[in-house]
Protein backbone atom coordinates (compact mmCIF):
# COMPACT_ATOMS: atom_id res chain seq x y z
CA UNK A 1 0.00 0.00 0.00
CA UNK A 2 1.00 3.65 -0.06
CA UNK A 3 3.07 3.99 3.05
CA UNK A 4 2.97 7.74 3.46
CA UNK A 5 4.77 8.39 6.75
CA UNK A 6 3.25 10.41 9.54
CA UNK A 7 3.48 13.90 8.20
CA UNK A 8 4.83 16.66 10.31
CA UNK A 9 5.58 20.38 10.20
CA UNK A 10 5.54 22.00 6.77
CA UNK A 11 4.66 18.66 5.14
CA UNK A 12 1.58 17.99 7.21
CA UNK A 13 -1.04 19.32 4.83
CA UNK A 14 1.05 19.18 1.71
CA UNK A 15 0.15 17.24 -1.38
CA UNK A 16 2.83 17.38 -4.03
CA UNK A 17 2.00 16.75 -7.69
CA UNK A 18 3.87 17.06 -10.94
CA UNK A 19 3.84 15.60 -14.42
CA UNK A 20 6.13 15.29 -17.37
CA UNK A 21 5.35 14.79 -21.02
CA UNK A 22 6.71 11.68 -22.70
CA UNK A 23 7.78 13.83 -25.62
CA UNK A 24 11.48 12.95 -25.79
CA UNK A 25 14.35 11.67 -23.74
CA UNK A 26 14.67 12.91 -20.16
CA UNK A 27 17.52 15.39 -19.72
CA UNK A 28 19.39 17.19 -16.95
CA UNK A 29 16.96 20.15 -16.94
CA UNK A 30 14.02 17.81 -16.34
CA UNK A 31 15.93 15.89 -13.71
CA UNK A 32 17.18 18.72 -11.53
CA UNK A 33 14.16 21.02 -11.82
CA UNK A 34 11.35 18.52 -11.57
CA UNK A 35 12.23 14.85 -11.08
CA UNK A 36 14.70 15.16 -8.23
CA UNK A 37 12.68 17.64 -6.10
CA UNK A 38 9.49 15.65 -6.64
CA UNK A 39 11.12 12.33 -5.79
CA UNK A 40 12.76 13.81 -2.70
CA UNK A 41 9.42 14.76 -1.16
CA UNK A 42 8.04 11.22 -1.25
CA UNK A 43 9.32 10.44 2.26
CA UNK A 44 7.79 13.54 3.79
CA UNK A 45 4.67 14.49 1.88
CA UNK A 46 1.93 12.79 -0.05
CA UNK A 47 3.26 12.75 -3.62
CA UNK A 48 1.56 12.21 -6.99
CA UNK A 49 3.63 11.97 -10.16
CA UNK A 50 2.38 11.17 -13.61
CA UNK A 51 3.39 10.72 -17.22
CA UNK A 52 1.47 13.37 -19.12
CA UNK A 53 0.69 11.39 -22.26
CA UNK A 54 -2.49 13.36 -23.03
CA UNK A 55 -0.44 16.58 -23.06
CA UNK A 56 2.00 14.99 -25.48
CA UNK A 57 -0.84 14.49 -28.00
CA UNK A 58 -0.74 18.20 -28.83
CA UNK A 59 2.15 17.42 -31.19
CA UNK A 60 0.54 14.24 -32.59
CA UNK A 61 3.37 11.80 -31.89
CA UNK A 62 3.76 8.56 -33.77
CA UNK A 63 1.70 5.94 -31.80
CA UNK A 64 4.60 3.49 -31.50
CA UNK A 65 6.96 6.24 -30.32
CA UNK A 66 4.46 7.46 -27.75
CA UNK A 67 4.12 3.99 -26.25
CA UNK A 68 7.83 3.39 -25.97
CA UNK A 69 8.47 6.86 -24.54
CA UNK A 70 5.88 6.32 -21.82
CA UNK A 71 7.74 3.15 -20.88
CA UNK A 72 11.09 4.96 -20.96
CA UNK A 73 9.92 7.82 -18.75
CA UNK A 74 8.52 5.33 -16.24
CA UNK A 75 11.86 3.49 -16.20
CA UNK A 76 13.73 6.78 -15.75
CA UNK A 77 11.66 7.81 -12.72
CA UNK A 78 11.93 4.42 -11.05
CA UNK A 79 15.67 4.25 -11.74
CA UNK A 80 16.09 7.72 -10.22
CA UNK A 81 14.53 6.65 -6.95
CA UNK A 82 10.78 7.01 -7.25
CA UNK A 83 9.35 4.44 -4.83
CA UNK A 84 5.95 3.31 -6.10
CA UNK A 85 4.92 2.28 -2.59
CA UNK A 86 5.31 5.88 -1.46
CA UNK A 87 4.49 7.93 -4.56
CA UNK A 88 1.27 7.56 -6.51
CA UNK A 89 2.82 7.08 -9.95
CA UNK A 90 0.48 6.84 -12.93
CA UNK A 91 -0.22 7.42 -16.58
CA UNK A 92 -2.32 10.52 -17.22
CA UNK A 93 -4.64 8.92 -19.78
CA UNK A 94 -5.69 6.24 -17.27
CA UNK A 95 -7.60 8.83 -15.25
CA UNK A 96 -10.83 9.45 -17.15
CA UNK A 97 -12.02 11.99 -14.56
CA UNK A 98 -9.44 14.42 -15.95
CA UNK A 99 -11.44 14.90 -19.13
CA UNK A 100 -14.69 15.72 -17.34
CA UNK A 101 -13.01 18.26 -15.10
CA UNK A 102 -11.18 19.79 -18.07
CA UNK A 103 -14.47 20.59 -19.78
CA UNK A 104 -16.00 22.02 -16.61
CA UNK A 105 -12.95 24.22 -16.06
CA UNK A 106 -12.84 25.25 -19.73
CA UNK A 107 -16.24 26.84 -19.33
CA UNK A 108 -14.89 28.94 -16.46
CA UNK A 109 -11.68 29.98 -18.20
CA UNK A 110 -11.66 33.38 -19.92
CA UNK A 111 -9.90 33.27 -23.30
CA UNK A 112 -7.51 35.95 -22.01
CA UNK A 113 -6.00 33.53 -19.48
CA UNK A 114 -4.84 31.33 -22.33
CA UNK A 115 -3.99 34.05 -24.86
CA UNK A 116 -1.51 35.46 -22.36
CA UNK A 117 0.48 32.23 -21.91
CA UNK A 118 4.14 32.68 -22.90
CA UNK A 119 4.64 29.05 -23.74
CA UNK A 120 1.85 29.20 -26.36
CA UNK A 121 3.10 32.52 -27.76
CA UNK A 122 6.69 31.22 -27.94
CA UNK A 123 5.60 28.15 -29.85
CA UNK A 124 3.75 30.26 -32.39
CA UNK A 125 6.74 32.59 -32.67
CA UNK A 126 8.85 29.50 -33.44
CA UNK A 127 6.62 28.68 -36.39
CA UNK A 128 4.48 25.95 -34.83
CA UNK A 129 0.96 25.88 -36.31
CA UNK A 130 -1.17 25.72 -33.17
CA UNK A 131 -4.05 23.32 -32.76
CA UNK A 132 -6.84 23.81 -30.23
CA UNK A 133 -5.21 21.31 -27.86
CA UNK A 134 -2.04 23.37 -27.66
CA UNK A 135 -4.05 26.51 -26.91
CA UNK A 136 -6.24 24.80 -24.29
CA UNK A 137 -3.35 22.86 -22.72
CA UNK A 138 -3.19 25.00 -19.53
CA UNK A 139 -6.82 24.05 -18.75
CA UNK A 140 -5.90 20.37 -18.96
CA UNK A 141 -2.95 21.09 -16.71
CA UNK A 142 -5.22 22.93 -14.26
CA UNK A 143 -7.50 19.89 -14.16
CA UNK A 144 -4.46 17.68 -13.39
CA UNK A 145 -3.46 19.87 -10.50
CA UNK A 146 -6.90 20.63 -9.03
CA UNK A 147 -8.29 17.09 -9.32
CA UNK A 148 -5.87 15.93 -6.62
CA UNK A 149 -6.22 19.07 -4.47
CA UNK A 150 -2.47 19.55 -4.86
CA UNK A 151 -0.87 22.20 -2.69
CA UNK A 152 2.60 22.12 -4.19
CA UNK A 153 3.75 21.72 -7.79
CA UNK A 154 7.51 21.26 -8.36
CA UNK A 155 8.39 22.51 -11.86
CA UNK A 156 10.99 24.46 -13.80
CA UNK A 157 10.50 28.19 -14.34
CA UNK A 158 8.87 27.77 -17.76
CA UNK A 159 5.84 26.13 -16.11
CA UNK A 160 5.31 28.85 -13.49
CA UNK A 161 2.67 30.66 -15.50
CA UNK A 162 0.71 27.45 -16.08
CA UNK A 163 0.49 26.84 -12.33
CA UNK A 164 -0.66 30.46 -11.90
CA UNK A 165 -3.41 29.82 -14.46
CA UNK A 166 -4.48 26.74 -12.48
CA UNK A 167 -4.65 28.87 -9.34
CA UNK A 168 -6.69 31.58 -11.10
CA UNK A 169 -9.14 29.03 -12.47
CA UNK A 170 -9.50 27.45 -8.99
CA UNK A 171 -10.24 30.88 -7.54
CA UNK A 172 -12.91 31.60 -10.14
CA UNK A 173 -14.51 28.23 -9.43
CA UNK A 174 -14.42 28.68 -5.65
CA UNK A 175 -15.83 32.21 -5.86
CA UNK A 176 -18.74 31.07 -7.96
CA UNK A 177 -19.54 27.66 -6.51
CA UNK A 178 -17.95 27.51 -3.06
CA UNK A 179 -14.61 26.31 -1.76
CA UNK A 180 -13.99 23.01 -3.49
CA UNK A 181 -10.45 23.49 -4.77
CA UNK A 182 -7.20 24.00 -2.94
CA UNK A 183 -5.13 26.86 -4.38
CA UNK A 184 -1.86 25.32 -5.62
CA UNK A 185 1.58 26.90 -5.47
CA UNK A 186 4.47 26.25 -7.82
CA UNK A 187 7.73 25.19 -6.18
CA UNK A 188 10.75 26.33 -8.13
CA UNK A 189 14.29 25.78 -6.93
CA UNK A 190 16.07 28.95 -7.84
CA UNK A 191 19.44 27.29 -8.49
CA UNK A 192 17.89 24.98 -11.11
CA UNK A 193 15.10 27.21 -12.41
CA UNK A 194 16.75 27.28 -15.86
CA UNK A 195 19.36 24.61 -16.50
CA UNK A 196 21.47 25.60 -19.54
CA UNK A 197 21.89 23.30 -22.54
CA UNK A 198 25.00 22.61 -24.62
CA UNK A 199 24.45 25.87 -26.55
CA UNK A 200 23.95 28.00 -23.43
CA UNK A 201 20.19 28.42 -24.01
CA UNK A 202 17.66 26.70 -21.72
CA UNK A 203 18.15 22.96 -22.06
CA UNK A 204 15.13 21.67 -23.97
CA UNK A 205 14.15 18.70 -26.07
CA UNK A 206 12.93 21.13 -28.70
CA UNK A 207 16.32 22.88 -29.04
CA UNK A 208 18.42 19.75 -29.57
CA UNK A 209 20.81 20.96 -26.85
CA UNK A 210 20.20 18.35 -24.19
CA UNK A 211 22.39 16.09 -22.10
CA UNK A 212 20.36 12.96 -21.53
CA UNK A 213 20.40 11.14 -18.21
CA UNK A 214 20.77 7.66 -19.60
CA UNK A 215 22.13 8.16 -23.09
CA UNK A 216 24.92 6.01 -24.37
CA UNK A 217 28.00 6.88 -22.29
CA UNK A 218 30.18 7.73 -25.26
CA UNK A 219 27.52 10.02 -26.63
CA UNK A 220 26.99 11.78 -23.29
CA UNK A 221 30.71 12.43 -23.11
CA UNK A 222 30.63 13.85 -26.63
CA UNK A 223 27.69 16.09 -25.76
CA UNK A 224 29.46 17.47 -22.70
CA UNK A 225 32.68 18.06 -24.63
CA UNK A 226 30.65 19.98 -27.25
CA UNK A 227 29.24 22.58 -24.80
CA UNK A 228 29.60 26.02 -26.31
CA UNK A 229 32.04 28.34 -24.50
CA UNK A 230 33.73 31.61 -25.42
CA UNK A 231 37.07 31.60 -27.22
CA UNK A 232 39.39 32.50 -24.32
CA UNK A 233 42.77 30.76 -24.51
CA UNK A 234 43.97 28.23 -21.95
CA UNK A 235 46.13 30.84 -20.19
CA UNK A 236 43.49 33.56 -19.82
CA UNK A 237 41.49 33.91 -16.56
CA UNK A 238 37.83 33.07 -17.06
CA UNK A 239 34.52 34.01 -15.48
CA UNK A 240 32.84 30.90 -14.04
CA UNK A 241 29.50 32.67 -13.57
CA UNK A 242 28.88 33.10 -17.30
CA UNK A 243 30.00 29.62 -18.32
CA UNK A 244 27.44 26.83 -18.92
CA UNK A 245 30.04 24.14 -18.10
CA UNK A 246 30.45 25.62 -14.64
CA UNK A 247 26.68 26.02 -14.22
CA UNK A 248 26.21 22.31 -14.96
CA UNK A 249 29.15 21.27 -12.77
CA UNK A 250 27.51 23.11 -9.85
CA UNK A 251 24.51 20.77 -10.08
CA UNK A 252 26.63 17.75 -9.20
CA UNK A 253 29.68 18.79 -7.24
CA UNK A 254 30.08 19.59 -3.54
CA UNK A 255 30.41 23.17 -2.34
CA UNK A 256 34.13 22.63 -1.87
CA UNK A 257 34.62 21.25 -5.40
CA UNK A 258 32.60 24.14 -6.86
CA UNK A 259 34.71 26.73 -5.03
CA UNK A 260 37.84 24.94 -6.20
CA UNK A 261 36.74 25.01 -9.83
CA UNK A 262 35.74 28.69 -9.61
CA UNK A 263 39.20 29.45 -8.28
CA UNK A 264 40.84 27.61 -11.20
CA UNK A 265 38.70 29.53 -13.73
CA UNK A 266 39.75 32.86 -12.22
CA UNK A 267 43.43 31.95 -11.92
CA UNK A 268 43.95 31.14 -15.63
CA UNK A 269 45.92 28.24 -17.11
CA UNK A 270 42.75 26.21 -16.78
CA UNK A 271 40.99 25.47 -20.06
CA UNK A 272 37.32 24.80 -20.81
CA UNK A 273 38.43 21.31 -21.86
CA UNK A 274 39.63 20.67 -18.28
CA UNK A 275 36.32 21.85 -16.85
CA UNK A 276 34.37 19.70 -19.31
CA UNK A 277 36.43 16.66 -18.36
CA UNK A 278 35.64 17.29 -14.67
CA UNK A 279 31.96 17.58 -15.60
CA UNK A 280 32.04 14.27 -17.50
CA UNK A 281 33.48 12.58 -14.40
CA UNK A 282 30.92 13.90 -11.90
CA UNK A 283 28.09 13.23 -14.35
CA UNK A 284 29.11 9.59 -14.91
CA UNK A 285 29.68 8.98 -11.21
CA UNK A 286 26.36 10.54 -10.20
CA UNK A 287 24.20 8.51 -12.58
CA UNK A 288 26.15 5.25 -12.31
CA UNK A 289 23.95 3.54 -9.69
CA UNK A 290 20.78 4.79 -11.40
CA UNK A 291 21.99 3.49 -14.75
CA UNK A 292 22.52 0.05 -13.19
CA UNK A 293 19.10 0.13 -11.56
CA UNK A 294 17.50 1.10 -14.86
CA UNK A 295 19.07 -1.88 -16.61
CA UNK A 296 17.71 -4.20 -13.90
CA UNK A 297 14.20 -2.77 -14.18
CA UNK A 298 14.29 -2.92 -17.94
CA UNK A 299 14.88 -6.66 -17.77
CA UNK A 300 11.76 -7.15 -15.65
CA UNK A 301 9.02 -7.16 -18.27
CA UNK A 302 5.60 -6.43 -16.84
CA UNK A 303 6.92 -4.46 -13.87
CA UNK A 304 6.24 -1.02 -15.31
CA UNK A 305 2.70 -1.95 -16.28
CA UNK A 306 1.95 -3.30 -12.82
CA UNK A 307 3.34 -0.17 -11.14
CA UNK A 308 1.37 2.18 -13.39
CA UNK A 309 -1.92 0.35 -13.03
CA UNK A 310 -1.64 0.24 -9.26
CA UNK A 311 -0.88 3.98 -9.28
CA UNK A 312 -3.82 4.67 -11.59
CA UNK A 313 -6.23 2.87 -9.26
CA UNK A 314 -5.18 5.05 -6.33
CA UNK A 315 -5.12 8.28 -8.39
CA UNK A 316 -8.60 7.56 -9.79
CA UNK A 317 -9.94 7.15 -6.26
CA UNK A 318 -8.72 10.61 -5.23
CA UNK A 319 -9.84 12.11 -8.54
CA UNK A 320 -13.34 10.67 -8.23
CA UNK A 321 -13.74 12.07 -4.71
CA UNK A 322 -12.93 15.58 -5.92
CA UNK A 323 -15.08 15.27 -9.00
CA UNK A 324 -18.05 14.20 -6.90
CA UNK A 325 -17.73 17.45 -4.94
CA UNK A 326 -17.43 19.40 -8.17
CA UNK A 327 -20.56 17.83 -9.64
CA UNK A 328 -22.55 18.64 -6.51
CA UNK A 329 -21.24 22.22 -6.48
CA UNK A 330 -22.22 22.93 -10.09
CA UNK A 331 -25.58 21.13 -10.01
CA UNK A 332 -24.68 18.08 -12.09
CA UNK A 333 -25.00 15.44 -9.37
P1 LIG B 1 11.41 20.34 -22.55
O1 LIG B 1 11.53 21.85 -22.55
O2 LIG B 1 12.73 19.70 -22.72
O3 LIG B 1 10.38 19.83 -23.54
P2 LIG B 1 9.41 19.73 -20.59
O4 LIG B 1 8.57 20.86 -21.08
O5 LIG B 1 8.94 18.33 -20.84
O6 LIG B 1 10.90 19.92 -21.11
O7 LIG B 1 9.62 19.92 -19.03
C1 LIG B 1 9.40 18.99 -18.00
C2 LIG B 1 9.75 19.63 -16.67
O8 LIG B 1 11.14 19.94 -16.64
C3 LIG B 1 9.02 20.95 -16.40
O9 LIG B 1 8.77 21.07 -15.02
C4 LIG B 1 10.01 21.99 -16.87
O10 LIG B 1 9.82 23.22 -16.24
C5 LIG B 1 11.32 21.34 -16.45
N1 LIG B 1 12.44 21.77 -17.33
C6 LIG B 1 12.64 21.42 -18.61
N2 LIG B 1 13.78 21.97 -19.10
C7 LIG B 1 14.32 22.68 -18.07
C8 LIG B 1 15.51 23.46 -17.92
N3 LIG B 1 16.38 23.60 -18.91
N4 LIG B 1 15.72 24.06 -16.73
C9 LIG B 1 14.86 23.92 -15.70
N5 LIG B 1 13.72 23.18 -15.78
C10 LIG B 1 13.45 22.56 -16.93
N1 LIG C 1 2.99 20.98 -18.73
C1 LIG C 1 4.03 20.27 -18.05
C2 LIG C 1 5.30 20.27 -18.93
O1 LIG C 1 5.22 20.41 -20.12
C3 LIG C 1 3.64 18.85 -17.76
C4 LIG C 1 2.43 18.79 -16.90
C5 LIG C 1 1.18 18.42 -17.28
C6 LIG C 1 2.36 19.16 -15.52
N2 LIG C 1 0.32 18.49 -16.23
C7 LIG C 1 1.01 18.96 -15.14
C8 LIG C 1 3.29 19.62 -14.60
C9 LIG C 1 0.58 19.22 -13.84
C10 LIG C 1 2.86 19.90 -13.29
C11 LIG C 1 1.52 19.69 -12.93
O2 LIG C 1 6.35 20.10 -18.41
Amino acid sequence: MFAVPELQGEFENMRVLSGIQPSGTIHLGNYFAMMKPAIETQNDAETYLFIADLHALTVLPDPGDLKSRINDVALDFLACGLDPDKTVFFRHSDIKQTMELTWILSCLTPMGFLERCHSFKDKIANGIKPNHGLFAYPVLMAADILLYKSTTVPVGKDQKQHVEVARDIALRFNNRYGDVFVLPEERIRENVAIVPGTDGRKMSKSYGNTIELFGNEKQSRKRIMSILTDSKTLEEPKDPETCPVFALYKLFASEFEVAEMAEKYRAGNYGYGHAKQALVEVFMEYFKPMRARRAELEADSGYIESVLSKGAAKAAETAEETLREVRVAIGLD
Side-chain angles (χ1 to χ4, degrees), residues 315-328:
E317 219 176 88
T318 311
E320 187 55 35
E321 271 171 36
T322 308
L323 202 53
R324 225 175 278 141
E325 286 180 56
V326 170
R327 291 187 197 115
V328 171

Side-chain angles (χ1 to χ4, degrees), residues 199-245:
D199 57 0
R201 292 189 292 171
K202 173 198 165 234
M203 188 177 287
S204 172
K205 289 163 219 146
S206 32
Y207 296 154
N209 64 356
T210 62
I211 299 170
E212 299 171 359
L213 299 199
F214 299 116
N216 158 317
E217 291 192 32
K218 221 167 132 189
Q219 239 168 13
S220 304
R221 169 172 237 292
K222 218 168 134 190
R223 301 286 296 160
I224 292 175
M225 297 314 284
S226 76
I227 297 172
L228 210 65
T229 53
D230 62 32
S231 52
K232 288 208 168 72
T233 62
L234 175 75
E235 294 76 22
E236 282 178 271
K238 301 171 181 69
D239 180 3
E241 297 309 331
T242 55
C243 176
V245 183

Side-chain angles (χ1 to χ4, degrees), residues 17-20 48-52 55 88-92 144:
L17 171 135
S18 196
I20 189 160
Y48 285 67
L49 279 174
F50 64 94
I51 304 171
H55 286 266
V88 183
F89 185 41
F90 59 101
R91 187 171 29 215
H92 195 205
D144 300 335

Side-chain angles (χ1 to χ4, degrees), residues 10-256:
E10 66 164 316
F11 298 109
E12 204 168 348
N13 293 314
M14 193 186 271
R15 184 173 280 169
V16 176
L17 171 135
S18 196
I20 189 160
Q21 295 189 53
S23 56
T25 314
I26 298 286
H27 56 73
L28 291 182
N30 303 143
Y31 177 74
F32 282 104
M34 184 282 206
M35 292 172 78
K36 185 165 182 271
I39 291 171
E40 278 171 2
T41 62
Q42 70 186 359
N43 292 318
D44 302 312
E46 224 183 314
T47 305
Y48 285 67
L49 279 174
F50 64 94
I51 304 171
D53 52 355
L54 292 176
H55 286 266
L57 290 184
T58 54
V59 294
L60 299 175
D62 172 85
D65 282 354
L66 181 61
K67 242 185 159 145
S68 70
R69 281 181 185 153
I70 292 170
N71 195 61
D72 281 345
V73 172
L75 276 172
D76 291 344
F77 268 95
L78 293 163
C80 288
L82 183 151
D83 178 346
D85 290 327
K86 294 181 178 162
T87 291
V88 183
F89 185 41
F90 59 101
R91 187 171 29 215
H92 195 205
S93 58
D94 284 340
I95 313 300
K96 307 303 175 202
Q97 289 83 352
T98 312
M99 292 295 101
E100 186 175 338
L101 185 60
T102 299
W103 179 250
I104 294 168
L105 299 181
S106 287
C107 297
L108 274 164
T109 306
M111 294 289 281
F113 279 18
L114 305 179
E115 282 160 355
R116 271 200 296 277
C117 283
H118 306 302
S119 150
F120 179 70
K121 289 197 282 193
D122 288 352
K123 287 190 171 129
I124 294 183
N126 280 312
I128 291 175
K129 290 258 173 294
N131 53 42
H132 174 256
L134 190 70
F135 180 67
Y137 176 113
V139 185
L140 181 58
M141 184 158 158
D144 300 335
I145 295 172
L146 303 180
L147 203 45
Y148 305 96
K149 301 200 174 180
S150 323
T151 58
T152 312
V153 185
V155 282
K157 205 168 185 168
D158 58 318
Q159 295 296 320
K160 180 178 168 32
Q161 194 183 27
H162 290 157
V163 183
E164 285 165 1
V165 169
R167 196 161 55 235
D168 290 344
I169 294 175
L171 256 177
R172 284 178 76 88
F173 185 99
N174 288 356
N175 285 340
R176 187 175 175 101
Y177 297 113
D179 281 343
V180 171
F181 293 126
V182 168
L183 303 186
E185 299 268 355
E186 63 279 9
R187 174 179 276 196
I188 299 174
R189 288 193 176 171
E190 270 318 308
N191 61 329
V192 291
I194 302 177
V195 173
T198 53
D199 57 0
R201 292 189 292 171
K202 173 198 165 234
M203 188 177 287
S204 172
K205 289 163 219 146
S206 32
Y207 296 154
N209 64 356
T210 62
I211 299 170
E212 299 171 359
L213 299 199
F214 299 116
N216 158 317
E217 291 192 32
K218 221 167 132 189
Q219 239 168 13
S220 304
R221 169 172 237 292
K222 218 168 134 190
R223 301 286 296 160
I224 292 175
M225 297 314 284
S226 76
I227 297 172
L228 210 65
T229 53
D230 62 32
S231 52
K232 288 208 168 72
T233 62
L234 175 75
E235 294 76 22
E236 282 178 271
K238 301 171 181 69
D239 180 3
E241 297 309 331
T242 55
C243 176
V245 183
F246 183 74
L248 292 170
Y249 184 74
K250 274 210 281 202
L251 300 173
F252 296 99
S254 68
E255 228 172 282
F256 175 76

